[in-house]
Amino acid sequence: MSFLPHEFSGFLAPNVNRTGYLRQWLTNFGIPYSVIPLEGRTHFLVKFPLSAYNPMFRTKTLLVHYDRFEPSPGANDNSAAVYQVMCFVRRLLERETPHNVRIFFTDGEESETQGAFAVAQLFRKLGITSDDVIAIDSCGRGNVLVVSTAGKDSPASLDFQKNFLDVYHRVCSLASRSSPSSWVSIPVPYSDNAGFLAQGIPAVAVTVLPENEVSVYMRQLQIDKNFERAVMTRTLSEGAEDAAEILLRNEKLPQTWRMMHTPLDNEASLTPESFVMMERFLDAIADSKVLV
């Protein structure tokens, strides 16, 4: 029997209208929201009261994509995080003190024209460039909290590099605080953070992996100095590699990532410990207070 509610299975059903399903979920849970249509994509912004924000402290923006790669069920990529953040929102609505959290459920992460890019454009247009932006993606399988290093080696300006490292270190601190003995920082393929980084706005991605997969992956990164580049550019086939070498490189990726976009990314692949871990991490975000 699944540890998740029946509604979660409905979110994974074939041919389900996930935008409509998410809208109904928000309504059923009594979560106030605004619909933000951008370039053919439908994003949802949770509407917290003004009392939830203290201007003395930095705002933390969470990005959680709710679309999936069809026809995969998309249980881990990214339905688990959608549900985790949905439960987090319900906890935030009960808080009586400011939490300074802004939450977007984004659309189009799985497309070539990433939906979060348009959200980042809107942020820049509105002058919102100093939030701590965190992309929550594929957090339903495993027992190690993973903070992505994507963006650390950006060729952008010195100001961007400084601002990115500030956000990155704060996210690492949150991971260490919430999971002191079970977190790492390693290269992770881009998620919604890519759209913000492309707009020059620092953003850090967070995911979860099983401990054994993390160990094998980290050893592979040490062995093959070109492997990180292949992972981060998602171009495992570029260069002069033949089909056998491409397959070999893919097989060196964590199994959790290889399950994505396939029928194996199903409800049975999820693990309850990852949901407990993410609850602690998300609550740590709400408790964090960093002066502007």
Side-chain angles (χ1 to χ4, degrees):
M1 180 180 294
S2 173
F3 58 93
L4 291 164
H6 174 72
E7 309 91 80
F8 186 83
S9 298
F11 195 44
L12 308 185
N15 303 316
V16 69
N17 181 333
R18 285 170 71 90
T19 299
Y21 204 100
L22 178 58
R23 188 193 300 265
Q24 191 61 55
W25 234 352
L26 291 164
T27 301
N28 290 347
F29 284 153
I31 298 173
Y33 64 90
S34 293
V35 177
I36 302 180
L38 293 172
E39 298 186 2
R41 301 292 178 180
T42 303
H43 311 284
F44 295 91
L45 170 65
V46 176
K47 295 175 64 177
F48 293 109
L50 290 177
S51 59
Y53 301 92
N54 184 332
M56 291 179 57
F57 301 109
R58 187 177 298 274
T59 297
K60 297 146 289 187
T61 292
L62 303 189
L63 308 170
V64 191
H65 81 86
Y66 69 87
D67 61 314
R68 66 179 171 186
F69 185 91
E70 300 285 358
S72 170
N76 190 34
D77 183 20
N78 192 31
S79 304
V82 170
Y83 183 74
Q84 291 162 352
V85 173
M86 194 81 67
C87 293
F88 177 50
V89 172
R90 297 170 71 188
R91 297 196 298 276
L92 291 180
L93 289 171
E94 295 177 354
R95 289 175 69 111
E96 297 180 354
T97 56
H99 53 71
N100 282 46
V101 176
R102 191 189 343 252
I103 293 177
F104 278 87
F105 292 98
T106 65
D107 185 16
E109 192 273 346
E110 299 290 0
S111 67
E112 291 185 4
T113 55
Q114 194 192 61
F117 183 80
V119 177
Q121 284 182 317
L122 178 62
F123 269 50
R124 181 159 290 287
K125 180 178 179 180
L126 296 175
I128 306 173
T129 58
S130 59
D131 284 15
D132 283 355
V133 180
I134 307 173
I136 308 293
D137 199 345
S138 304
C139 298
R141 174 181 161 84
N143 57 351
V144 177
L145 192 62
V146 176
V147 179
S148 174
T149 58
K152 282 187 70 175
D153 297 323
S154 170
S157 67
L158 291 177
D159 281 345
F160 172 86
Q161 292 175 21
K162 177 186 180 302
N163 292 335
F164 176 86
L165 287 175
D166 286 345
V167 177
Y168 169 78
H169 288 308
R170 282 193 287 272
V171 176
C172 287
S173 177
L174 290 170
S176 175
R177 191 182 315 162
S178 60
S179 299
S181 60
S182 54
W183 78 279
V184 296
S185 179
I186 53 179
V188 175
Y190 287 102
S191 177
D192 275 342
N193 55 325
F196 275 72
L197 292 173
Q199 280 292 315
I201 301 175
V204 175
V206 170
T207 189
V208 174
L209 285 172
E211 183 177 5
N212 63 318
E213 294 181 22
V214 170
S215 297
V216 172
Y217 179 55
M218 292 180 74
R219 284 200 298 272
Q220 183 57 40
L221 288 168
Q222 293 176 336
I223 294 169
D224 184 353
K225 300 305 180 183
N226 294 318
F227 191 59
E228 178 176 348
R229 177 187 59 81
V231 170
M232 297 310 301
T233 59
R234 293 188 182 183
T235 53
L236 297 177
S237 61
E238 77 175 15
E241 297 170 332
D242 60 19
E245 179 64 20
I246 294 168
L247 179 61
L248 180 60
R249 281 186 175 270
N250 275 282
E251 288 180 345
K252 293 174 182 176
L253 292 171
Q255 180 182 354
T256 296
W257 294 353
R258 286 185 275 130
M259 292 166 64
M260 293 176 185
H261 299 182
T262 77
L264 296 176
D265 185 10
N266 55 38
E267 193 167 354
S269 72
L270 304 181
T271 59
E273 58 266 31
S274 59
F275 286 73
V276 175
M277 173 175 286
M278 284 303 297
E279 181 174 330
R280 292 198 307 265
F281 176 69
L282 292 170
D283 286 345
I285 291 175
D287 293 336
S288 173
K289 290 180 171 59
V290 177
L291 291 171
V292 173

